[in-house]
Amino acid sequence: MYELLKTEGKAKRGRLHTVHGVIETPVFMNVGTAAAIKGAVSTEDLKEIDTQVQLSNTYHLHLRPGDEVVKKLGGLHKFMVWDRPILTDSGGFQVFSLAGLRKIKEEGVHFQSHIDGRKIFMGPEESMQIQSNLGSTIAMAFDECPASVHERAYIEQSVERTTRWLKRCKAEMSRLNDLPDTVNKEQLLFGINQGGVLEDVRIAHAKEIAELDLPGYAIGGLAVGESHEEMYRILDAVVPHLPQNKPTYLMGVGTPINILEAVERGVDFFDCVYPSRNGRHGHAYTNQGKINLFNAKFELDARPIEEGCGCPACSKYSRAYIRHLLKAKEMLGMRLLVLHNLYFYNHLMEDIRLALDEGRFTEFKKRKIEEMTKNT
Amino acid sequence: MYELLKTEGKAKRGRLHTVHGVIETPVFMNVGTAAAIKGAVSTEDLKEIDTQVQLSNTYHLHLRPGDEVVKKLGGLHKFMVWDRPILTDSGGFQVFSLAGLRKIKEEGVHFQSHIDGRKIFMGPEESMQIQSNLGSTIAMAFDECPASVHERAYIEQSVERTTRWLKRCKAEMSRLNDLPDTVNKEQLLFGINQGGVLEDVRIAHAKEIAELDLPGYAIGGLAVGESHEEMYRILDAVVPHLPQNKPTYLMGVGTPINILEAVERGVDFFDCVYPSRNGRHGHAYTNQGKINLFNAKFELDARPIEEGCGCPACSKYSRAYIRHLLKAKEMLGMRLLVLHNLYFYNHLMEDIRLALDEGRFTEFKKRKIEEMTKNT
């Protein structure tokens, strides 16, 4: 299912075969929280900007339109008209970051909807049932993402519970995939490593979950406030204890430089809201670093955001026009920047894969980081 | 320049040749106020939905980004990347509806920007200069659009001033088109008929401005609060006094039924914010009337907005998905509805032209109105 095509140091060039097509890794999954990429970007647009995988959020879709509604409409692929792979998160992270008044018990979490305050219960089984209704290609295990302010004792307890929850997720997904009316009977389950910034807890947990022989493993609970150096330290410690012959997914990461650093440490799946969120706020990624299109210096700049870029924004529109759209609060400005930024990320990953294919990733990474930081 | 290809009763099937290409009439001009169609619609999208003419607003572009900026960037066509005709209004309507603290004098209008309160003066010459900087295909004369609450004496005085302003517009445009660095030296000027709902004032004014032999004439100051029946009565009265062998433009109109009624009365240019504004509020035009996609009955509706419609929304996405996007406040929902509605208007005009070509407009109009109103 997962082919490890090549390595360079710890860096992996892989290929995951799924029921919805092949994923070439390292890959950046484009985040469409509520079954749509923010910034008026459709699944048709995603194809135009060479997106391989779309990621949607279980918590959001459970609340609205409801996973039962999505199932009745044939699953998420049919609902949003996307025939390539979709990864859904477990809802866990949102339960711990967005929902109100939550109460964690062994069976799961009681919480209130951030939309209407409605009381909801979600445990490992419920998360799997929702993701099964959505019919995503890859489902994520339901875990707790403990705040890094917690002390060691709490984190150890939480990680142990996350392991027990993972086993329940695996059993439930197996049951669901065997039901006659399941949307995607070949849904894959990825486990999630936790443990805050405690290397020993992370490593022990990685070893434990690796034994469950799941189709992929993620590292969760990073990029939640710790420094980049702390994150790299944890990756250095934990990635070698996750199966090399399985996808390795660093959740919610990150900047182009974060991605280059994590690829070097053996990660090959990524997702992050940065390209779309930054685009909506007027920031564009370029090979010379980020630029802020609100800046007055772009008023008469007839050049594209980036010379030579083949995205729908750069192939037609100028910095001056996009700046005007942003200043005039025209949605088109946000849309063009989101398209550019996602294209930038998708093509950064393509360049990374090509560098790995050609055995020159180390040099590529060094040059890329130099280019992107020389103006800062 | 304007060919009157065919008539059916008063209805005109025409063709206007411009420096930016041919306009087949009757035509609906898609409104892109600030050099962009609201709803994240680009000029590339406009081609996909068969837009012939894009309309932008002089007042808005003068304030932001500034017409001098647009001129430095090569004019509006180059700025927004649109090679087909553009009509710009004169700014007059916005000065009278949006700006603060205005003072009307013979030389023009002193007013304050609605964006930052800056004091601005605009008269016939300034309006022509701004539109010349924008380089639109068709410029509109600077006029006063008196509120219909005014009494006869005020409206008569106002219309007389509008005539004097029109002569100044014509002289100024002629001067500007002869300057060496003018963006579009073949810019066309359309005059505007005013007179509120007073038929005799309208007719006298129409006769007077017709003598100036301009490339086209508009009827302004309608669809500003009077009833549809009053509007049709004014059209019945005034259109026969405007040159039949010139474009006849009814400004700011309107619903599909308004357009059918006005075409029957000899109008062949239209513009209106309805399709984009209604789209942004969740309303979609169909051949069976408008539907509100927020309605709960569409929750599980897997059909497109309209069966058989070839627009970018209907060719891929379901009512259920678009409803979800609207509920989740995803910009994509607005974008898809705006694309659908503009496509609907553009294709309604195409159907009208075909019916006129084939001498069956009267029957077409009757059937169309029956279809669109039978559910209301």
Side-chain angles (χ1 to χ4, degrees):
Chain A
M1 186 158 297
Y2 177 81
E3 296 175 72
L4 182 59
L5 300 174
K6 197 155 185 178
T7 57
E8 184 176 332
K10 283 188 192 169
K12 301 198 292 180
R13 167 77 176 91
R15 182 174 291 155
L16 181 66
H17 296 266
T18 81
V19 68
H20 299 112
V22 165
I23 301 170
E24 299 288 346
T25 83
V27 63
F28 180 79
M29 302 185 281
N30 296 192
V31 181
T33 300
I37 306 281
K38 293 195 190 299
V41 174
S42 71
T43 45
E44 198 163 353
D45 296 317
L46 289 185
K47 290 208 168 171
E48 202 184 330
I49 57 170
D50 303 316
T51 301
Q52 292 193 74
V53 187
Q54 193 274 135
L55 184 154
S56 284
N57 290 104
T58 288
Y59 170 86
H60 289 88
L61 292 172
H62 176 56
L63 298 189
R64 190 167 53 196
D67 49 288
E68 293 285 357
V69 166
V70 175
K71 184 178 186 181
K72 280 180 191 154
L73 289 159
L76 199 44
H77 282 87
K78 207 164 170 189
F79 185 56
M80 66 190 295
V81 194
W82 176 248
D83 57 7
R84 296 182 187 174
I86 297 176
L87 183 143
T88 43
D89 69 356
S90 69
F93 184 77
Q94 281 72 28
V95 166
F96 292 103
S97 62
L98 281 183
L101 288 175
R102 58 183 172 272
K103 198 169 176 185
I104 309 173
K105 296 187 168 178
E106 184 59 26
E107 66 265 29
V109 187
H110 296 268
F111 61 94
Q112 288 189 316
S113 155
H114 76 289
I115 298 173
D116 59 8
R118 183 163 53 99
K119 284 182 189 166
I120 301 175
F121 172 76
M122 197 187 288
E125 289 77 14
E126 289 73 17
S127 173
M128 292 301 106
Q129 287 155 16
I130 296 167
Q131 292 183 78
S132 180
N133 283 341
L134 298 174
S136 57
T137 318
I138 300 167
M140 296 305 299
F142 188 73
D143 62 338
E144 186 190 349
C145 176
S148 53
V149 295
H150 283 302
E151 53 195 22
R152 173 175 283 270
Y154 183 87
I155 290 180
E156 282 177 344
Q157 276 179 26
S158 162
V159 167
E160 282 166 24
R161 185 166 50 214
T162 284
T163 309
R164 293 192 296 275
W165 282 358
L166 178 57
K167 290 172 183 166
R168 285 164 55 189
C169 284
K170 189 182 175 191
E172 179 67 6
M173 165 126 313
S174 170
R175 184 184 77 81
L176 292 164
N177 280 354
D178 281 345
L179 294 180
D181 69 336
T182 292
V183 176
N184 172 19
K185 291 169 190 287
E186 301 187 54
Q187 196 169 32
L188 305 174
L189 174 65
F190 280 18
I192 304 176
N193 172 255
Q194 290 287 358
V197 290
L198 306 173
E199 294 173 36
D200 60 324
V201 179
R202 285 271 179 190
I203 291 170
H205 188 234
K207 288 178 179 171
E208 209 173 351
I209 62 177
E211 283 172 20
L212 293 177
D213 193 26
L214 295 166
Y217 289 93
I219 301 141
L222 290 181
V224 290
E226 81 287 358
S227 71
H228 288 171
E229 291 315 315
E230 267 185 312
M231 179 169 81
Y232 301 149
R233 177 173 58 79
I234 294 297
L235 292 179
D236 283 332
V238 79
V239 175
H241 299 281
L242 291 170
Q244 195 195 26
N245 62 341
K246 302 281 178 74
T248 307
Y249 167 26
L250 178 55
M251 301 180 82
V253 172
T255 67
I257 292 174
N258 290 158
I259 288 174
L260 288 161
E261 294 289 355
V263 166
E264 189 175 53
R265 288 162 172 85
V267 174
D268 64 348
F269 278 65
F270 298 89
D271 81 282
C272 190
V273 296
Y274 283 169
S276 53
R277 183 176 294 164
N278 279 323
R280 297 201 309 283
H281 290 92
H283 293 85
Y285 289 88
T286 81
N287 286 306
Q288 285 72 47
K290 276 211 304 275
I291 60 175
N292 180 352
L293 269 296
F294 274 103
N295 199 306
K297 73 177 174 190
F298 299 122
E299 187 181 40
L300 292 167
D301 194 334
R303 293 173 298 171
I305 297 169
E306 180 144 57
E307 299 283 357
C309 172
C311 86
C314 291
S315 55
K316 291 200 80 167
Y317 303 102
S318 66
R319 293 172 173 187
Y321 182 56
I322 295 172
R323 175 177 188 271
H324 160 67
L325 296 174
L326 292 170
K327 298 279 286 181
K329 298 185 179 66
E330 285 290 343
M331 280 163 54
L332 179 59
M334 292 197 264
R335 172 174 155 84
L336 291 175
L337 283 174
V338 172
L339 288 172
H340 170 82
N341 285 349
L342 290 174
Y343 182 96
F344 178 90
Y345 265 71
N346 292 336
H347 284 257
L348 170 65
M349 304 315 289
E350 202 175 297
D351 291 345
I352 290 173
R353 291 194 298 272
L354 192 64
L356 285 166
D357 284 338
E358 297 175 355
R360 53 175 179 79
F361 173 73
T362 309
E363 178 265 327
F364 171 83
K365 178 208 159 198
K366 186 169 169 282
R367 181 172 55 78
K368 207 76 187 164
I369 293 179
E370 276 168 11
E371 269 178 24
M372 288 195 285
T373 51
K374 75 178 168 203
N375 295 331
T376 58
Chain B
M1 186 158 296
Y2 177 81
E3 296 175 72
L4 182 61
L5 300 173
K6 198 156 186 180
T7 57
E8 185 175 333
K10 284 189 194 170
K12 300 199 293 180
R13 168 76 176 90
R15 182 175 292 155
L16 181 66
H17 297 267
T18 81
V19 68
H20 299 113
V22 165
I23 302 169
E24 299 287 346
T25 84
V27 63
F28 180 78
M29 302 185 282
N30 295 193
V31 181
T33 299
I37 306 281
K38 292 191 190 304
V41 175
S42 71
T43 44
E44 197 163 354
D45 297 316
L46 289 186
K47 289 208 168 171
E48 202 184 330
I49 56 171
D50 303 316
T51 301
Q52 292 193 75
V53 187
Q54 192 274 133
L55 183 154
S56 283
N57 290 103
T58 288
Y59 170 86
H60 289 88
L61 292 172
H62 176 55
L63 298 189
R64 192 169 49 199
D67 48 289
E68 293 285 356
V69 167
V70 175
K71 185 179 184 181
K72 281 179 190 154
L73 289 160
L76 199 46
H77 282 87
K78 208 164 170 190
F79 184 57
M80 66 189 297
V81 195
W82 176 248
D83 57 6
R84 296 182 186 175
I86 297 177
L87 183 143
T88 43
D89 69 357
S90 69
F93 184 77
Q94 280 74 28
V95 167
F96 294 103
S97 61
L98 281 182
L101 287 177
R102 60 183 169 272
K103 199 168 173 185
I104 309 174
K105 295 187 168 180
E106 183 60 25
E107 65 266 28
V109 187
H110 295 268
F111 62 93
Q112 288 188 317
S113 156
H114 77 289
I115 297 174
D116 58 8
R118 182 162 55 98
K119 284 183 187 167
I120 301 175
F121 172 75
M122 197 187 287
E125 289 77 14
E126 288 73 18
S127 173
M128 292 301 106
Q129 288 154 15
I130 296 167
Q131 293 183 77
S132 181
N133 284 340
L134 298 174
S136 56
T137 318
I138 300 166
M140 296 304 298
F142 188 74
D143 63 337
E144 186 191 348
C145 175
S148 54
V149 293
H150 283 300
E151 53 195 22
R152 173 176 283 268
Y154 183 88
I155 290 180
E156 283 177 345
Q157 277 178 23
S158 161
V159 167
E160 281 166 25
R161 187 168 46 217
T162 284
T163 308
R164 292 191 297 274
W165 283 358
L166 178 57
K167 290 173 183 167
R168 284 165 56 190
C169 285
K170 189 183 176 190
E172 180 67 5
M173 165 127 312
S174 172
R175 185 185 77 79
L176 292 163
N177 280 354
D178 281 345
L179 294 180
D181 69 335
T182 292
V183 176
N184 173 18
K185 291 169 190 287
E186 300 189 55
Q187 196 169 31
L188 305 173
L189 174 65
F190 280 18
I192 304 176
N193 171 255
Q194 289 288 358
V197 290
L198 305 173
E199 294 173 34
D200 58 326
V201 179
R202 285 270 179 189
I203 291 170
H205 188 236
K207 288 178 178 170
E208 210 173 350
I209 62 176
E211 283 172 18
L212 294 177
D213 194 25
L214 295 166
Y217 290 92
I219 302 141
L222 290 180
V224 291
E226 81 286 358
S227 71
H228 288 172
E229 291 315 314
E230 267 184 313
M231 178 170 82
Y232 301 149
R233 176 173 59 78
I234 294 299
L235 292 179
D236 282 333
V238 79
V239 175
H241 299 282
L242 290 170
Q244 195 195 27
N245 61 343
K246 302 281 177 74
T248 307
Y249 167 25
L250 179 55
M251 300 180 83
V253 171
T255 67
I257 293 173
N258 290 159
I259 289 173
L260 288 160
E261 294 288 354
V263 165
E264 189 175 53
R265 288 163 172 86
V267 174
D268 63 350
F269 278 64
F270 298 89
D271 81 283
C272 189
V273 296
Y274 284 169
S276 52
R277 183 175 294 162
N278 278 323
R280 296 201 310 284
H281 290 92
H283 292 85
Y285 289 88
T286 80
N287 285 306
Q288 283 74 47
K290 276 210 305 277
I291 60 174
N292 180 352
L293 269 296
F294 274 102
N295 200 306
K297 74 178 173 189
F298 299 122
E299 187 180 41
L300 292 168
D301 194 334
R303 293 174 299 171
I305 297 168
E306 180 144 58
E307 298 284 358
C309 172
C311 86
C314 291
S315 54
K316 291 201 80 167
Y317 303 102
S318 66
R319 293 173 173 186
Y321 182 56
I322 296 172
R323 174 176 188 271
H324 161 66
L325 295 174
L326 292 170
K327 298 281 284 184
K329 298 185 179 63
E330 285 290 343
M331 280 164 53
L332 179 59
M334 292 198 263
R335 171 173 154 86
L336 292 175
L337 283 174
V338 172
L339 288 172
H340 169 83
N341 285 349
L342 289 175
Y343 183 97
F344 179 90
Y345 266 70
N346 292 337
H347 284 256
L348 171 65
M349 304 316 289
E350 201 176 298
D351 291 346
I352 289 173
R353 292 194 296 272
L354 192 64
L356 285 166
D357 284 338
E358 296 174 353
R360 53 177 178 77
F361 172 74
T362 309
E363 177 265 329
F364 170 83
K365 178 207 157 199
K366 184 169 171 282
R367 182 173 52 79
K368 207 76 187 162
I369 293 180
E370 277 170 11
E371 269 179 25
M372 289 196 284
T373 52
K374 76 179 168 203
N375 295 331
T376 57

